[in-house]
PDB file of all heavy atoms in Angstrom:
ATOM      1  N   ALA A 204     -22.287   4.712   7.324  1.00 95.00           N
ATOM      2  CA  ALA A 204     -23.157   4.492   6.159  1.00 95.00           C
ATOM      3  C   ALA A 204     -22.323   4.327   4.886  1.00 95.00           C
ATOM      4  O   ALA A 204     -22.563   3.422   4.077  1.00 95.00           O
ATOM      5  CB  ALA A 204     -24.130   5.672   6.011  1.00 95.00           C
ATOM      6  N   ILE A 205     -21.324   5.189   4.722  1.00 93.00           N
ATOM      7  CA  ILE A 205     -20.481   5.129   3.513  1.00 93.00           C
ATOM      8  C   ILE A 205     -19.679   3.821   3.489  1.00 93.00           C
ATOM      9  O   ILE A 205     -19.626   3.127   2.464  1.00 93.00           O
ATOM     10  CB  ILE A 205     -19.542   6.358   3.443  1.00 93.00           C
ATOM     11  CG1 ILE A 205     -20.357   7.613   3.169  1.00 93.00           C
ATOM     12  CG2 ILE A 205     -18.462   6.169   2.372  1.00 93.00           C
ATOM     13  CD1 ILE A 205     -19.607   8.917   3.359  1.00 93.00           C
ATOM     14  N   LEU A 206     -19.093   3.472   4.619  1.00 95.00           N
ATOM     15  CA  LEU A 206     -18.282   2.247   4.653  1.00 95.00           C
ATOM     16  C   LEU A 206     -19.148   1.005   4.461  1.00 95.00           C
ATOM     17  O   LEU A 206     -18.763   0.072   3.760  1.00 95.00           O
ATOM     18  CB  LEU A 206     -17.502   2.157   5.963  1.00 95.00           C
ATOM     19  CG  LEU A 206     -16.338   3.140   6.097  1.00 95.00           C
ATOM     20  CD1 LEU A 206     -15.602   2.931   7.405  1.00 95.00           C
ATOM     21  CD2 LEU A 206     -15.368   3.005   4.935  1.00 95.00           C
ATOM     22  N   GLY A 207     -20.314   0.993   5.103  1.00 96.00           N
ATOM     23  CA  GLY A 207     -21.212  -0.160   4.963  1.00 96.00           C
ATOM     24  C   GLY A 207     -21.595  -0.369   3.501  1.00 96.00           C
ATOM     25  O   GLY A 207     -21.519  -1.486   2.965  1.00 96.00           O
ATOM     26  N   ALA A 208     -21.963   0.722   2.843  1.00 94.00           N
ATOM     27  CA  ALA A 208     -22.363   0.628   1.434  1.00 94.00           C
ATOM     28  C   ALA A 208     -21.174   0.205   0.563  1.00 94.00           C
ATOM     29  O   ALA A 208     -21.316  -0.575  -0.383  1.00 94.00           O
ATOM     30  CB  ALA A 208     -22.914   1.975   0.958  1.00 94.00           C
ATOM     31  N   THR A 209     -19.975   0.716   0.889  1.00 94.00           N
ATOM     32  CA  THR A 209     -18.779   0.376   0.102  1.00 94.00           C
ATOM     33  C   THR A 209     -18.434  -1.101   0.241  1.00 94.00           C
ATOM     34  O   THR A 209     -18.099  -1.771  -0.743  1.00 94.00           O
ATOM     35  CB  THR A 209     -17.578   1.243   0.556  1.00 94.00           C
ATOM     36  OG1 THR A 209     -17.937   2.610   0.462  1.00 94.00           O
ATOM     37  CG2 THR A 209     -16.364   0.980  -0.314  1.00 94.00           C
ATOM     38  N   ILE A 210     -18.515  -1.608   1.468  1.00 95.00           N
ATOM     39  CA  ILE A 210     -18.200  -3.036   1.675  1.00 95.00           C
ATOM     40  C   ILE A 210     -19.196  -3.906   0.903  1.00 95.00           C
ATOM     41  O   ILE A 210     -18.816  -4.871   0.235  1.00 95.00           O
ATOM     42  CB  ILE A 210     -18.203  -3.385   3.183  1.00 95.00           C
ATOM     43  CG1 ILE A 210     -17.062  -2.655   3.899  1.00 95.00           C
ATOM     44  CG2 ILE A 210     -18.081  -4.888   3.396  1.00 95.00           C
ATOM     45  CD1 ILE A 210     -17.104  -2.734   5.417  1.00 95.00           C
ATOM     46  N   ASP A 211     -20.486  -3.540   0.972  1.00 95.00           N
ATOM     47  CA  ASP A 211     -21.502  -4.311   0.238  1.00 95.00           C
ATOM     48  C   ASP A 211     -21.205  -4.296  -1.262  1.00 95.00           C
ATOM     49  O   ASP A 211     -21.249  -5.329  -1.928  1.00 95.00           O
ATOM     50  CB  ASP A 211     -22.898  -3.711   0.474  1.00 95.00           C
ATOM     51  CG  ASP A 211     -23.379  -3.970   1.894  1.00 95.00           C
ATOM     52  OD1 ASP A 211     -22.746  -4.799   2.593  1.00 95.00           O
ATOM     53  OD2 ASP A 211     -24.360  -3.330   2.316  1.00 95.00           O
ATOM     54  N   LEU A 212     -20.898  -3.105  -1.766  1.00 93.00           N
ATOM     55  CA  LEU A 212     -20.638  -2.954  -3.201  1.00 93.00           C
ATOM     56  C   LEU A 212     -19.401  -3.754  -3.614  1.00 93.00           C
ATOM     57  O   LEU A 212     -19.424  -4.485  -4.614  1.00 93.00           O
ATOM     58  CB  LEU A 212     -20.421  -1.462  -3.496  1.00 93.00           C
ATOM     59  CG  LEU A 212     -20.088  -1.050  -4.915  1.00 93.00           C
ATOM     60  CD1 LEU A 212     -21.240  -1.398  -5.851  1.00 93.00           C
ATOM     61  CD2 LEU A 212     -19.806   0.451  -4.973  1.00 93.00           C
ATOM     62  N   ALA A 213     -18.349  -3.631  -2.831  1.00 94.00           N
ATOM     63  CA  ALA A 213     -17.103  -4.334  -3.174  1.00 94.00           C
ATOM     64  C   ALA A 213     -17.332  -5.839  -3.148  1.00 94.00           C
ATOM     65  O   ALA A 213     -16.888  -6.556  -4.052  1.00 94.00           O
ATOM     66  CB  ALA A 213     -15.996  -3.934  -2.198  1.00 94.00           C
ATOM     67  N   SER A 214     -18.027  -6.322  -2.150  1.00 93.00           N
ATOM     68  CA  SER A 214     -18.198  -7.779  -2.092  1.00 93.00           C
ATOM     69  C   SER A 214     -19.125  -8.253  -3.213  1.00 93.00           C
ATOM     70  O   SER A 214     -18.920  -9.329  -3.777  1.00 93.00           O
ATOM     71  CB  SER A 214     -18.663  -8.245  -0.705  1.00 93.00           C
ATOM     72  OG  SER A 214     -19.902  -7.696  -0.428  1.00 93.00           O
ATOM     73  N   GLU A 215     -20.087  -7.419  -3.576  1.00 94.00           N
ATOM     74  CA  GLU A 215     -20.959  -7.741  -4.724  1.00 94.00           C
ATOM     75  C   GLU A 215     -20.132  -7.862  -6.010  1.00 94.00           C
ATOM     76  O   GLU A 215     -20.421  -8.676  -6.884  1.00 94.00           O
ATOM     77  CB  GLU A 215     -21.995  -6.613  -4.849  1.00 94.00           C
ATOM     78  CG  GLU A 215     -23.195  -6.902  -5.705  1.00 94.00           C
ATOM     79  CD  GLU A 215     -24.087  -7.999  -5.126  1.00 94.00           C
ATOM     80  OE1 GLU A 215     -24.180  -8.158  -3.886  1.00 94.00           O
ATOM     81  OE2 GLU A 215     -24.667  -8.707  -5.947  1.00 94.00           O
ATOM     82  N   LEU A 216     -19.068  -7.055  -6.094  1.00 94.00           N
ATOM     83  CA  LEU A 216     -18.197  -7.067  -7.274  1.00 94.00           C
ATOM     84  C   LEU A 216     -17.064  -8.089  -7.141  1.00 94.00           C
ATOM     85  O   LEU A 216     -16.178  -8.158  -7.993  1.00 94.00           O
ATOM     86  CB  LEU A 216     -17.586  -5.670  -7.492  1.00 94.00           C
ATOM     87  CG  LEU A 216     -18.572  -4.559  -7.878  1.00 94.00           C
ATOM     88  CD1 LEU A 216     -17.896  -3.202  -7.837  1.00 94.00           C
ATOM     89  CD2 LEU A 216     -19.157  -4.819  -9.258  1.00 94.00           C
ATOM     90  N   GLY A 217     -17.068  -8.848  -6.055  1.00 95.00           N
ATOM     91  CA  GLY A 217     -16.042  -9.883  -5.867  1.00 95.00           C
ATOM     92  C   GLY A 217     -14.693  -9.336  -5.435  1.00 95.00           C
ATOM     93  O   GLY A 217     -13.662  -9.976  -5.661  1.00 95.00           O
ATOM     94  N   LEU A 218     -14.676  -8.146  -4.832  1.00 96.00           N
ATOM     95  CA  LEU A 218     -13.407  -7.541  -4.415  1.00 96.00           C
ATOM     96  C   LEU A 218     -13.166  -7.761  -2.926  1.00 96.00           C
ATOM     97  O   LEU A 218     -14.102  -7.760  -2.123  1.00 96.00           O
ATOM     98  CB  LEU A 218     -13.426  -6.024  -4.685  1.00 96.00           C
ATOM     99  CG  LEU A 218     -13.662  -5.605  -6.134  1.00 96.00           C
ATOM    100  CD1 LEU A 218     -13.830  -4.092  -6.218  1.00 96.00           C
ATOM    101  CD2 LEU A 218     -12.503  -6.070  -7.008  1.00 96.00           C
ATOM    102  N   ARG A 219     -11.897  -7.941  -2.600  1.00 96.00           N
ATOM    103  CA  ARG A 219     -11.490  -8.047  -1.204  1.00 96.00           C
ATOM    104  C   ARG A 219     -11.482  -6.643  -0.603  1.00 96.00           C
ATOM    105  O   ARG A 219     -11.153  -5.677  -1.298  1.00 96.00           O
ATOM    106  CB  ARG A 219     -10.084  -8.664  -1.188  1.00 96.00           C
ATOM    107  CG  ARG A 219      -9.493  -8.928   0.142  1.00 96.00           C
ATOM    108  CD  ARG A 219      -8.214  -9.755  -0.085  1.00 96.00           C
ATOM    109  NE  ARG A 219      -7.548 -10.021   1.166  1.00 96.00           N
ATOM    110  CZ  ARG A 219      -6.545  -9.317   1.644  1.00 96.00           C
ATOM    111  NH1 ARG A 219      -6.076  -8.291   0.966  1.00 96.00           N
ATOM    112  NH2 ARG A 219      -6.002  -9.635   2.804  1.00 96.00           N
ATOM    113  N   VAL A 220     -11.836  -6.540   0.668  1.00 96.00           N
ATOM    114  CA  VAL A 220     -11.865  -5.216   1.320  1.00 96.00           C
ATOM    115  C   VAL A 220     -10.882  -5.196   2.492  1.00 96.00           C
ATOM    116  O   VAL A 220     -10.941  -6.054   3.376  1.00 96.00           O
ATOM    117  CB  VAL A 220     -13.283  -4.873   1.837  1.00 96.00           C
ATOM    118  CG1 VAL A 220     -13.289  -3.502   2.494  1.00 96.00           C
ATOM    119  CG2 VAL A 220     -14.296  -4.922   0.711  1.00 96.00           C
ATOM    120  N   VAL A 221      -9.992  -4.211   2.476  1.00 97.00           N
ATOM    121  CA  VAL A 221      -9.040  -4.022   3.576  1.00 97.00           C
ATOM    122  C   VAL A 221      -9.324  -2.662   4.205  1.00 97.00           C
ATOM    123  O   VAL A 221      -9.401  -1.658   3.492  1.00 97.00           O
ATOM    124  CB  VAL A 221      -7.576  -4.036   3.064  1.00 97.00           C
ATOM    125  CG1 VAL A 221      -6.595  -3.859   4.219  1.00 97.00           C
ATOM    126  CG2 VAL A 221      -7.277  -5.317   2.301  1.00 97.00           C
ATOM    127  N   ALA A 222      -9.483  -2.633   5.514  1.00 97.00           N
ATOM    128  CA  ALA A 222      -9.698  -1.346   6.202  1.00 97.00           C
ATOM    129  C   ALA A 222      -8.361  -0.815   6.699  1.00 97.00           C
ATOM    130  O   ALA A 222      -7.579  -1.542   7.290  1.00 97.00           O
ATOM    131  CB  ALA A 222     -10.658  -1.535   7.374  1.00 97.00           C
ATOM    132  N   GLU A 223      -8.124   0.470   6.437  1.00 97.00           N
ATOM    133  CA  GLU A 223      -6.867   1.111   6.875  1.00 97.00           C
ATOM    134  C   GLU A 223      -7.116   1.907   8.152  1.00 97.00           C
ATOM    135  O   GLU A 223      -8.237   2.390   8.389  1.00 97.00           O
ATOM    136  CB  GLU A 223      -6.411   2.133   5.833  1.00 97.00           C
ATOM    137  CG  GLU A 223      -5.967   1.561   4.527  1.00 97.00           C
ATOM    138  CD  GLU A 223      -5.288   2.644   3.690  1.00 97.00           C
ATOM    139  OE1 GLU A 223      -5.972   3.536   3.165  1.00 97.00           O
ATOM    140  OE2 GLU A 223      -4.067   2.583   3.574  1.00 97.00           O
ATOM    141  N   GLY A 224      -6.078   2.063   8.948  1.00 97.00           N
ATOM    142  CA  GLY A 224      -6.151   2.956  10.101  1.00 97.00           C
ATOM    143  C   GLY A 224      -7.028   2.469  11.232  1.00 97.00           C
ATOM    144  O   GLY A 224      -7.656   3.280  11.928  1.00 97.00           O
ATOM    145  N   VAL A 225      -7.082   1.151  11.432  1.00 97.00           N
ATOM    146  CA  VAL A 225      -7.907   0.602  12.521  1.00 97.00           C
ATOM    147  C   VAL A 225      -7.144   0.769  13.839  1.00 97.00           C
ATOM    148  O   VAL A 225      -6.025   0.287  13.987  1.00 97.00           O
ATOM    149  CB  VAL A 225      -8.236  -0.889  12.265  1.00 97.00           C
ATOM    150  CG1 VAL A 225      -9.043  -1.466  13.414  1.00 97.00           C
ATOM    151  CG2 VAL A 225      -8.968  -1.041  10.940  1.00 97.00           C
ATOM    152  N   GLU A 226      -7.772   1.483  14.766  1.00 97.00           N
ATOM    153  CA  GLU A 226      -7.073   1.807  16.028  1.00 97.00           C
ATOM    154  C   GLU A 226      -7.824   1.316  17.250  1.00 97.00           C
ATOM    155  O   GLU A 226      -7.275   1.312  18.350  1.00 97.00           O
ATOM    156  CB  GLU A 226      -6.872   3.320  16.135  1.00 97.00           C
ATOM    157  CG  GLU A 226      -5.927   3.882  15.080  1.00 97.00           C
ATOM    158  CD  GLU A 226      -5.651   5.375  15.255  1.00 97.00           C
ATOM    159  OE1 GLU A 226      -6.344   6.018  16.059  1.00 97.00           O
ATOM    160  OE2 GLU A 226      -4.740   5.877  14.581  1.00 97.00           O
ATOM    161  N   GLN A 227      -9.114   0.969  17.083  1.00 96.00           N
ATOM    162  CA  GLN A 227      -9.924   0.635  18.269  1.00 96.00           C
ATOM    163  C   GLN A 227     -10.638  -0.697  18.090  1.00 96.00           C
ATOM    164  O   GLN A 227     -11.063  -1.038  16.975  1.00 96.00           O
ATOM    165  CB  GLN A 227     -10.992   1.711  18.488  1.00 96.00           C
ATOM    166  CG  GLN A 227     -10.443   3.087  18.754  1.00 96.00           C
ATOM    167  CD  GLN A 227     -11.535   4.138  18.619  1.00 96.00           C
ATOM    168  OE1 GLN A 227     -12.717   3.832  18.738  1.00 96.00           O
ATOM    169  NE2 GLN A 227     -11.146   5.358  18.339  1.00 96.00           N
TER     170      GLN A 227
END
Side-chain angles (χ1 to χ4, degrees):
I205 291 168
L206 288 182
T209 305
I210 294 170
D211 289 348
L212 178 63
S214 62
E215 196 66 31
L216 293 171
L218 302 173
R219 183 170 178 263
V220 180
V221 181
E223 292 191 287
V225 178
E226 294 184 349
Q227 298 166 23

